[in-house]
Amino acid sequence: MAVNPDHPRQWQRGVQRIAAIRPVTRFFSLCLPFLDRQLIRWSAGRTSLTSLMTGFPIVTLRTLGARSGISRENPLVGIPFDQGSYILIASNWGQERHPAWYHNLRAHPRVQLLRAGIVQEYVAHEAEGEERVVCWRRAVEVYAGYEAYRHRAGDRRIPVIVLTPPAPSSPRDA
């Protein structure tokens, strides 16, 4: 099933509104990542429970652990952006701490993204200034619940991450 983040079905919009409610968010934060990993693995990266329920574009982010260096996989909302880039919102479901994957990205910004069964390389950076404003606005267009998460996060500024394809290497780099 193809996911269009700009046009989820009406019932998926309803699920999105319900998912932004604090107790529902807590429940989903405990069970959806586990269930998504299973369905993503079973479908060879083509779908997830979250994408089926909400219409969100779910990707699997592969990072190296910030301290351990061990490969980690996290199913996340990956919002298609400019020229093959993706936006990730480090909301951690509106909690007052950053998600572990955010720390991993800061330590190791070269990552892989599994989307629709295809793995691609990306480089992560945290959006600032006008880029952050544009990316946050785009993210809220996809999921209005990010605004509720922003309020719940307290004093924590939710990081906005942009994944861009790495620049092609020139023959001199070889």
Side-chain angles (χ1 to χ4, degrees):
M1 168 201 253
V3 173
N4 183 343
D6 295 318
H7 300 290
R9 292 179 170 92
Q10 187 169 350
W11 67 268
Q12 289 172 319
R13 284 273 186 208
V15 172
Q16 289 180 17
R17 283 191 292 280
I18 292 167
I21 299 168
R22 189 182 297 258
V24 177
T25 298
R26 181 71 178 138
F27 173 74
F28 281 171
S29 74
L30 296 172
C31 69
L32 278 181
F34 171 79
L35 295 172
D36 275 345
R37 281 184 188 96
Q38 303 310 312
L39 189 52
I40 288 167
R41 193 170 294 123
W42 179 77
S43 70
R46 289 186 291 279
T47 194
S48 74
L49 182 59
T50 300
S51 64
L52 293 172
M53 289 176 23
T54 64
F56 292 153
I58 300 299
V59 298
T60 299
L61 176 69
R62 291 181 180 161
T63 60
L64 294 176
R67 286 185 255 165
S68 69
I70 296 171
S71 180
R72 306 286 184 198
E73 292 190 355
N74 293 283
L76 302 169
V77 175
I79 302 163
F81 192 50
D82 192 34
Q83 299 177 4
S85 297
Y86 284 85
I87 301 168
L88 304 177
I89 305 297
S91 65
N92 201 18
W93 306 85
Q95 296 179 44
E96 293 182 2
R97 294 184 335 262
H98 294 310
W101 63 261
Y102 169 73
H103 299 291
N104 295 345
L105 281 181
R106 288 182 50 99
H108 305 285
R110 292 191 69 86
V111 300
Q112 292 182 329
L113 210 60
L114 171 64
R115 178 185 59 81
I118 300 168
V119 177
Q120 291 181 288
E121 303 283 329
Y122 289 87
V123 178
H125 73 271
E126 190 165 342
E128 296 294 341
E130 184 62 25
E131 181 185 38
R132 185 184 199 292
V133 171
V134 168
C135 290
W136 181 262
R137 189 176 312 128
R138 174 71 182 122
V140 170
E141 287 172 6
V142 171
Y143 178 45
Y146 284 131
E147 281 297 330
Y149 293 176
R150 184 175 63 84
H151 292 291
R152 282 188 218 147
D155 293 335
R156 178 173 78 90
R157 182 175 186 238
I158 294 177
V160 175
I161 306 300
V162 178
L163 302 180
T164 55
S169 59
S170 67
R172 285 185 277 175
D173 294 340

